[in-house]
Amino acid sequence: MSFDFDLFVIGGGSGGVRAARVAAGDTGARVALAEMDRYGGTCVIRGCVPKKLMVFASTYAPMADEARAYGWQMERGAFSWTDFRAKLDTELDRLEGVYRRLLDNSGVTKFDARAVVRDAHTVELSTGETFTAKHILVATGGRPVRPDLPNAELGIVSDDIFHLDELPRRILIVGGGYIACEFACILNGLGVEVTQYYRGAQILRGFDDEARGLIAEQMTDDGVRLKLGTNIAEMRRATAAEIAGDVSAENAGMGLPPEARVQPSAGGDSGPGPVWVRSTKGEEEVFDLVFFATGRAPNTGDMGLEEAGVSLGRGGAVEVDAYSQTAVPSIYAIGDATDRVNLTPVAIREGMAFVETVFKGNPTPVDHELIPSAVFTQPEMGTVGLSEEAAREQEPIEVYSTSFKPMQTAFAGRPDRVMMKLIVSQASRKVLGCHIVAPDAGEMIQLAGVAVKMGATKEDFDRTVAVHPTMSEEIVTMKSPTRSS
Ligand code: NDP
């Protein structure tokens, strides 16, 4: 049977674009890709990239204060969201162009259209066109979800944050995961008064407890009103009187220098705007904006997948084997659509392994073990391997940890602390987990991750000479265990 294409990729995010261009570029396969929105997907357009640029933007305010401690005559100025957003929009346009050109240069046929699967080898586009392909790759990613709560549509989600006309004066962020904590820190740094509700006992569930505790403590010290064990009980559009009362009360107590204050946003009957909230603890408050960072779900609805024989699991995740193959042998799925490890570099790995398996005759399962990652809170967390709690469940361990004031901020009189921690197997001496809470912890964990992935023992860390004076030297100078169990 002859097909229009060897491969039809649905979704132009990090995973889909990489698979398409490597299959076409390296193997000469005839490849098509359909994207219904913007090329680059969540990571480039409404996730990692704009988020990280906002992280950078948000760190300049304390830098001015620190610079003064180092002898610079420098005053903290006002932040212009309008100026930043214009520059951000231009950068995202540029990056989308790069993604489009990468596909063109690899000979991939692009369709700016939504695609659905009609059968094991057929894809139908929103343009009405139908194409056949020997293989179909579902790389449709995920989307943010709001909680099931009356009036939840009055709140925004992470996709919306990059499009705000102006920053709110007061925001409520709901959730305690990556997105909630990262944006709490970003917006706090940009001068927004941030309240964060998290329903559990401590933010960043699943990460090392000591690391979570330190991040929560520093976020609070930096001004985030973190309310644990708290959720929204009820929400509705705020009345004019509630907004007016709230604005005057706040002007008295905001504590920010006037030039750093963000102006109150105008109310509106629909879309983002002031919201009255009653918390599960009974507190009633008015916020200019409510931001739900309450998780993401795979983008697999209304795509004809189940009708074609593909099995969908919990939350709509495409069920795949270790080679990313679905129940239909010609259909594969990678990235957040499969809800395995929802990180861009993992989707890219899965895309490369798919090409290796299907187009290069080299069956390659995806290795999901010991993936280093970072949470871009302030301070950042870099982590690889097991948390102390998870490791202790597995086997007897030794814990080496240290917490100290880093030289740069301590000199400026700031109370910030950093933490470095190794979890070591008593039996094999291997480092099972490494957790760092520090400025640039994401950069540090990438390198520590190589050692941990190689199976380095505590003694391998000990044999490595410290780089002095740095923060990360502490990772090779922790001599005695803090505790063992
Ligand atoms: P997460 O799943 O990490 O966090 C969701 C949060 O929302 C949890 O704290 C959860 O609470 C809470 N929640 C869920 N439902 C409700 C509800 N109905 N009411 C109140 N709270 C609720 O999702 P995120 O959206 O933060 O991030 C999605 C994924 O994106 C991450 O898992 C990660 O893979 C990826 N990501 C990675 C980043 C990075 O690498 N730096 C950055 C951003 C995203 P509970 O803990 O109780 O379940």
Side-chain angles (χ1 to χ4, degrees):
M1 183 175 170
S2 76
F3 298 101
D4 297 323
F5 294 102
D6 298 313
L7 172 64
F8 202 108
V9 180
I10 307 179
S14 307
V17 167
R18 179 63 68 92
R21 70 184 183 85
V22 177
D26 285 11
T27 74
R30 294 166 308 140
V31 181
L33 184 147
E35 167 57 54
M36 61 186 269
D37 196 334
R38 296 184 65 184
Y39 285 73
T42 298
C43 171
V44 177
I45 303 297
R46 50 193 164 267
C48 322
V49 171
K51 179 276 303 286
K52 189 81 189 272
L53 290 167
M54 284 181 77
V55 170
F56 290 139
S58 71
T59 53
Y60 283 99
M63 273 187 198
D65 298 340
E66 264 174 56
R68 273 201 307 280
Y70 279 87
W72 289 92
Q73 304 300 306
M74 196 181 279
E75 291 307 315
R76 193 190 274 217
F79 170 70
S80 167
W81 169 251
T82 316
D83 291 355
F84 171 76
R85 219 196 79 176
K87 194 121 196 295
L88 180 65
D89 289 346
T90 307
E91 178 62 2
L92 299 187
D93 289 346
R94 186 186 73 80
L95 289 171
E96 186 182 4
V98 169
Y99 270 71
R100 285 178 176 273
R101 272 196 304 284
L102 283 171
L103 289 168
D104 291 340
N105 294 343
S106 309
V108 175
T109 306
K110 299 194 309 297
F111 295 100
D112 285 86
R114 181 166 199 271
V116 297
V117 173
R118 282 292 165 237
D119 63 38
H121 294 285
T122 310
V123 165
E124 186 182 331
L125 301 184
S126 48
T127 55
E129 297 161 284
T130 296
F131 295 99
T132 58
K134 188 166 183 209
H135 295 99
I136 295 170
L137 180 66
V138 178
T140 46
R143 63 178 192 290
V145 288
R146 288 177 173 78
D148 185 13
L149 179 77
N151 295 325
E153 71 285 356
L154 294 176
I156 63 162
V157 292
S158 58
D159 288 358
D160 307 316
I161 196 88
F162 309 109
H163 303 294
L164 294 177
D165 290 332
E166 57 187 356
L167 287 182
R169 188 176 52 89
R170 295 186 70 186
I171 195 167
L172 170 63
I173 300 181
V174 183
Y178 284 82
I179 296 179
C181 295
E182 290 182 345
F183 276 97
C185 295
I186 289 169
L187 294 170
N188 183 52
L190 294 178
V192 177
E193 189 191 314
V194 177
T195 302
Q196 183 179 356
Y197 285 179
Y198 173 52
R199 63 185 179 180
Q202 185 54 284
I203 55 168
L204 296 169
R205 183 165 62 83
F207 291 98
D208 186 87
D209 275 358
E210 211 175 345
R212 299 160 73 194
L214 181 57
I215 291 172
E217 194 183 301
Q218 296 216 357
M219 283 171 65
T220 307
D221 285 353
D222 285 347
V224 174
R225 295 169 73 223
L226 179 57
K227 303 204 169 188
L228 299 173
T230 307
N231 209 344
I232 295 183
E234 199 185 336
M235 66 186 282
R236 59 163 168 76
R237 176 65 77 221
T239 63
E242 284 163 348
I243 296 164
D246 189 63
V247 166
S248 58
E250 268 313 301
N251 277 345
M254 208 152 83
L256 286 171
E259 69 278 7
R261 286 189 196 178
V262 181
Q263 291 309 303
S265 33
D269 291 336
S270 62
V275 173
W276 170 91
V277 167
R278 189 167 54 77
S279 81
T280 47
K281 296 243 170 104
E283 288 168 297
E284 296 181 20
E285 294 187 87
V286 173
F287 298 96
D288 293 327
L289 205 56
V290 171
F291 176 175
F292 288 111
T294 44
R296 296 176 61 84
N299 266 333
T300 53
D302 301 326
M303 277 191 64
L305 289 168
E306 282 180 301
E307 293 80 349
V310 171
S311 308
L312 299 185
R314 203 169 50 91
V318 182
E319 290 187 344
V320 290
D321 67 10
Y323 299 93
S324 299
Q325 191 173 30
T326 72
V328 179
S330 58
I331 303 180
Y332 287 70
I334 57 167
D336 289 9
T338 63
D339 198 15
R340 286 176 280 180
V341 180
N342 298 331
L343 298 170
T344 295
V346 176
I348 291 172
R349 286 279 166 127
E350 290 166 355
M352 302 281 277
F354 157 78
V355 174
E356 204 61 37
T357 302
V358 175
F359 288 93
K360 298 190 179 176
N362 175 26
T364 305
V366 182
D367 179 4
H368 289 108
E369 292 301 311
L370 293 172
I371 295 170
S373 71
V375 185
F376 294 99
T377 39
Q378 291 161 34
E380 255 173 56
M381 167 160 52
T383 178
V384 62
L386 298 177
S387 66
E388 178 178 341
E389 297 70 38
R392 188 171 289 123
E393 298 263 297
Q394 179 179 293
E395 63 183 278
I397 54 166
E398 282 180 358
V399 177
Y400 294 80
S401 76
T402 177
S403 176
F404 56 94
K405 286 187 177 180
M407 188 194 249
Q408 184 175 2
T409 45
F411 183 83
R414 282 184 59 92
D416 307 13
R417 300 190 74 77
V418 310
M419 189 207 81
M420 313 251 161
K421 183 168 179 179
L422 293 176
I423 317 296
V424 177
S425 160
Q426 286 190 21
S428 69
R429 303 300 299 155
K430 278 189 182 170
V431 175
L432 304 174
C434 175
H435 311 284
I436 302 175
V437 177
D440 295 324
E443 304 291 343
M444 296 182 204
I445 204 69
Q446 179 69 82
L447 304 179
V450 176
V452 175
K453 184 79 184 164
M454 287 175 74
T457 61
K458 175 66 173 67
E459 286 64 36
D460 291 325
F461 275 72
D462 293 345
R463 283 191 296 116
T464 307
V465 174
V467 178
H468 186 70
T470 64
M471 285 180 284
S472 53
E473 68 180 299
E474 299 284 333
I475 209 81
V476 297
T477 56
M478 293 184 284
K479 290 296 170 221
S480 315
T482 321
R483 51 194 168 268
S484 2
S485 56

